[in-house]
Amino acid sequence: MELLPLVALLLGVQVAIHDLYARRVSNRGLMLATGLALVALAWQWLIAGRGFPGTHLLGFALGLLSLLPFYAVGWMGAGDVKYFAVLGLLLGAAPLLPIWIIASLLAGAHAMCVIVARRMAPVFSRHALTTGSSGPVTRRLQPVITQWRHARQGRVGIPYAAYLAFASLWWVLQQHVGGAA
């Protein structure tokens, strides 16, 4: 496997874990991946003679510009936008549309689950009140839930970067592992 798809895989795993747990995207990870991508693309262009990396630079610009309006209106975090731009730099412009579609479908399913859970919450609350117990599972999970809430520091919302990561992992594996089999 080539370097840039490998970097996209490693970054995707890190982003998915971090965004699901703390609702954050690490700037350090993004900067490291961007630095590696720029060095690798410069090497390919200047030393290896593989041509100007226009599709990767276009991917960066498209990734940034396509999600920036969602950040501007407050529907998306800056980390989501930066991550999509870095994906464009790593993978080029072509995979951005399928990655965006898959991530948006996953985020939509997540949103539907949140809506259903909020509507069902009163039913579960009434059950807990009438039985006088929150249940053994809830009591055992309480320390984990408390730690999770502390890590998120009040950040809520759908972990869109994680869904971008899942979609990019799928795409890279399809293109570079599945295609080789």
Side-chain angles (χ1 to χ4, degrees), residues 67 80 83-84 87 99-100 103 159-169:
L67 295 187
D80 304 330
Y83 177 54
F84 199 51
L87 279 176
I99 288 171
W100 176 76
Y160 195 73
Y163 294 130
L164 287 170
F166 294 146
S168 69
L169 292 171

Side-chain angles (χ1 to χ4, degrees), residues 66-67 70 84 95-105 160 164 167:
S66 63
L67 295 187
F70 298 106
F84 199 51
L96 290 182
L97 182 60
I99 288 171
W100 176 76
I101 290 170
I102 292 167
S104 295
L105 290 172
Y160 195 73
L164 287 170

Side-chain angles (χ1 to χ4, degrees), residues 39-76:
V39 168
L41 291 170
W43 173 268
Q44 289 174 4
W45 178 40
L46 298 171
I47 309 294
R50 290 177 63 184
F52 184 74
T55 185
H56 293 271
L57 299 175
L58 177 63
F60 178 83
L62 285 175
L64 181 67
L65 295 175
S66 63
L67 295 187
L68 202 54
F70 298 106
Y71 170 74
V73 297
W75 293 350
M76 185 171 288

